Amino acid sequence: MRLEPTAPPCCVVIFGATGDLTRRKLLPALYRLVQQRLVPSEFAILGTARQPHNDDEFRELMKAAVTEFGDEETLDENAWESFAKRIFYIGGDFNDAALFQQLKTKLEELDKEFDTAGNRIFYLATAPDYFAVVAKQLGDAGIAKPGKTSKTTKTKPWTRIIVEKPFGRDLASAQALNKTLAAVFDESQIYRIDHYLGKETVQNLLVFRFANSIFEPLWNRQYIDHIQITNAEPLGVEGRGGYYETAGALRDMIQNHVFQVTSLIAMEPPASLSANGVRDEKIKAMQSVRPLPADRIDELAVRGQYGGGTVLGDTVPAYREEPAVAPDSAVETFAALKLQFDNWRWAGVPFYLRSGKRLQKQVTEIAINFKEVPHRLFNDLDSPLQPNLLVIRIQPNEGISLRFGAKLPGQSMRIRAVNMDFRYGSSFGVKAPEAYERLLLDCMLGDSTLYARRDMVERGWEIVDPILKSWQTPAKDFPNYEAGSWGPQAAFELIERDGREWRKL
């Protein structure tokens, strides 16, 4: 087990360094890692973007970002000054080869100044259109491959690249992007980041399943009736209408975040906790997903788009009224799927997945619905017995809840469903680290367990491609659910056709 590992020396190069992701997530996460002494003093950050800032101007921008989005109520000025001395910036156009020669020269200077040992992480926090451009430029500039082994330390430097989602917009574009990356980097150098896998509760799925002997024997078709995975947001597109018009709920959430969680639920026990040990079992599980026939898409997949309504007491506009959204947009803001796994463990157990915006509340959870008892001893009851239910809450109020039947005190036989609750915050008394902290540290350590592998990304697109093709025909009933509801009526019919219903959240 890893206990507070310290990263080796390195320099983190952020492409898109003035963007929202850098401000909100990356710089605050790197600052916290330095504060926790999980990153050594032999460390530097080099940002690059189109804006023509100098080092001091960029440092001020990043200070404002850490002040606004960091954990601390007030920024420690001394700590920040020490951190800021390691932040540098070069402005330029990603299509310009001269920029990458400047970066190469600067990296060599930082190696000498901060003893970063030639170790580099290139973080693509850019628009997806630039992923292939930057990767090719890094290769052409000769800085994509690790340098030579140090004569003094006898260690070989490493170079890694972190790629943000989306990894393509369909199977063909994902394969093209992976081919471009593979022409420059080895697969072992490529870290496709999915921040959901950095969440504590998601990581705890492995511990919950494989460190507790009472659950794994029940984790199969003999005891489980069906599984529901819900990702609900009360927020709309929040100023990202332009991006969302090219994505939609299926691409933005289901194909990556939700499928990653699904694979952790469905996978077989790995032989080891090595990166490939875990990822081999995840891809095996997803390879057993039954293909969705083109003539049954409407039966197995539902799409929705929110209209106006009230969310958490506030009146909100319809999706088509959001900035940068077409007034006749056919993009879905809600998607629900029914998946079947054709393997020994899950044969006959449906997985119901749903994700949507402008829903009634924020909740991301996995609900494991167990089968009813095989023989009903307690028939003379006021209300029927509820089957056992295991709920793993990813956000908010991260934790695990188990529902079971218990007798009410008294002379008569009355049974009520009760819950055993575990919450991370109250149980451990510590705040869970942000997902980007964990994932950035893992990349520095060379641990790709929580990163998506090439085959997993492409398999996700293989599953959803038939749906995307079917949904190229605009839906006639958009908008088809009210903001503040739980989605379109068709989503309820999807599960009710099987004699089941969505869990009331």
Side-chain angles (χ1 to χ4, degrees):
M1 188 174 71
R2 207 176 68 190
L3 294 175
E4 296 193 355
T6 300
C10 69
C11 180
V12 178
V13 183
I14 302 175
F15 292 88
T18 57
D20 209 41
L21 176 64
T22 302
R23 293 175 57 253
R24 288 176 176 271
K25 298 295 183 181
L26 302 185
L27 250 293
L30 290 169
Y31 178 71
R32 282 191 291 267
L33 289 173
V34 169
Q35 291 301 92
Q36 297 166 45
R37 294 187 172 88
L38 297 176
V39 172
S41 57
E42 298 84 12
F43 173 74
I45 298 169
L46 177 57
T48 181
R50 285 173 297 183
Q51 288 79 1
H53 298 300
N54 59 36
D55 291 343
D56 289 335
E57 289 170 342
F58 182 63
R59 288 165 182 165
E60 283 302 310
L61 288 173
M62 294 304 101
K63 182 178 182 180
V66 173
T67 302
E68 183 176 358
F69 300 110
D71 280 346
E72 301 81 4
E73 291 185 9
T74 56
L75 191 67
D76 184 327
E77 290 293 338
N78 291 332
W80 172 258
E81 285 303 317
S82 175
F83 180 69
K85 290 175 182 176
R86 301 173 186 281
I87 299 176
F88 301 87
Y89 182 86
I90 296 176
D93 187 333
F94 298 153
N95 290 294
D96 184 1
L99 168 65
F100 291 81
Q101 290 303 320
Q102 286 181 274
L103 293 174
K104 181 178 182 180
T105 301
K106 187 65 177 180
L107 284 168
E108 291 169 353
E109 293 175 6
L110 295 176
D111 282 343
K112 295 176 182 177
E113 184 176 353
F114 295 102
D115 295 324
T116 51
N119 297 328
R120 286 127 188 208
I121 292 175
F122 298 111
Y123 200 118
L124 304 189
T126 69
D129 293 347
Y130 287 109
F131 291 171
V133 173
V134 173
K136 187 175 184 304
Q137 291 276 32
L138 289 170
D140 291 346
I143 49 179
K145 297 296 182 185
K148 297 179 181 179
T149 301
S150 168
K151 294 180 180 179
T152 54
T153 63
K154 305 298 182 185
T155 57
K156 184 173 178 60
W158 47 258
T159 300
R160 295 164 190 149
I161 185 169
I162 300 179
V163 187
E164 270 284 345
K165 79 173 186 74
F167 315 115
R169 54 179 287 102
D170 53 23
L171 178 59
S173 59
Q175 289 173 329
L177 174 59
N178 281 329
K179 186 177 179 180
T180 299
L181 291 171
V184 181
F185 297 91
D186 295 328
E187 179 62 27
S188 61
Q189 293 178 276
I190 304 169
Y191 287 66
R192 299 170 188 84
I193 194 166
D194 187 331
H195 72 270
Y196 256 56
L197 293 181
K199 292 181 180 293
E200 282 290 319
T201 320
V202 174
Q203 296 170 52
N204 198 51
L205 280 172
L206 290 173
V207 176
F208 183 80
R209 282 192 60 187
F210 305 128
N212 297 291
S213 61
I214 65 173
F215 295 111
E216 185 56 26
L218 310 180
W219 213 264
N220 56 57
R221 60 187 170 81
Q222 289 181 281
Y223 299 98
I224 293 175
D225 178 76
H226 72 283
I227 292 172
Q228 298 180 20
I229 301 178
T230 297
N231 167 253
E233 296 180 84
L235 300 175
V237 291
E238 302 301 298
R240 297 166 66 236
Y243 160 74
Y244 213 79
E245 281 286 271
T246 65
L250 190 64
R251 287 186 174 99
D252 189 48
M253 293 300 299
I254 299 282
Q255 184 274 333
N256 41 74
H257 299 328
V258 178
F259 277 3
Q260 289 287 351
V261 173
T262 301
S263 68
L264 289 170
I265 293 293
M267 66 185 278
E268 294 296 322
S272 73
L273 287 178
S274 67
N276 281 331
V278 173
R279 297 193 298 180
D280 284 347
E281 296 304 332
K282 288 172 64 180
I283 186 61
K284 283 181 190 175
M286 297 308 288
Q287 284 170 339
S288 70
V289 172
R290 185 182 303 169
L292 277 65
D295 60 351
R296 295 185 62 202
I297 296 299
D298 290 345
E299 179 187 339
L300 301 172
V302 168
R303 55 178 161 167
Q305 185 188 93
Y306 64 82
T310 303
V311 181
L312 302 177
D314 295 325
T315 301
V316 298
Y319 174 72
R320 292 177 175 181
E321 297 170 358
E322 300 274 13
V325 171
D328 59 348
S329 174
V331 171
E332 81 283 357
T333 60
F334 176 99
L337 310 181
K338 175 186 173 182
L339 297 183
Q340 296 273 6
F341 288 77
D342 288 331
N343 60 24
W344 196 270
R345 181 182 289 263
W346 297 115
V349 179
F351 281 59
Y352 301 98
L353 318 178
R354 59 176 171 170
S355 177
K357 290 188 175 294
R358 286 294 189 214
L359 299 182
Q360 201 171 107
K361 63 188 291 189
Q362 181 181 9
V363 58
T364 301
E365 68 164 39
I366 304 148
I368 314 293
N369 293 263
F370 288 89
K371 292 183 176 181
E372 293 186 353
V373 292
H375 174 60
R376 295 190 178 185
L377 288 172
F378 308 99
N379 288 318
D380 301 328
L381 299 175
D382 296 334
S383 58
L385 282 173
Q386 293 180 287
N388 298 120
L389 175 70
L390 178 68
V391 178
I392 301 164
R393 294 184 303 273
I394 297 174
Q395 65 179 12
N397 303 320
E398 294 91 340
I400 300 171
S401 176
L402 176 64
R403 182 179 75 193
F404 60 95
K407 180 186 175 297
L408 282 168
Q411 301 301 327
S412 61
M413 179 59 72
R414 293 183 298 162
I415 299 176
R416 178 176 294 174
V418 296
N419 290 322
M420 285 198 304
D421 263 330
F422 154 69
R423 295 196 178 191
Y424 281 95
S426 56
S427 295
F428 297 120
V430 294
K431 186 176 184 288
E434 287 289 327
Y436 278 94
E437 290 178 50
R438 170 66 188 264
L439 293 170
L440 283 165
L441 182 59
D442 277 358
C443 183
M444 295 175 191
L445 292 163
D447 183 351
S448 57
T449 305
L450 298 178
Y451 286 83
R453 202 166 62 185
R454 175 176 182 165
D455 52 2
M456 186 70 171
V457 169
E458 294 182 5
R459 178 57 184 151
W461 286 119
E462 285 176 357
I463 295 170
V464 303
D465 252 16
I467 306 173
L468 292 170
K469 289 174 183 175
S470 175
W471 287 359
Q472 285 176 355
T473 303
K476 296 178 181 179
D477 59 348
F478 277 4
N480 62 356
Y481 71 95
E482 183 181 348
S485 69
W486 281 113
Q489 179 59 32
F492 294 92
E493 295 169 358
L494 170 76
I495 191 169
E496 288 168 0
R497 279 196 294 269
D498 299 335
R500 302 180 176 97
E501 61 182 21
W502 290 111
R503 198 171 97 80
K504 293 179 176 62
L505 302 172

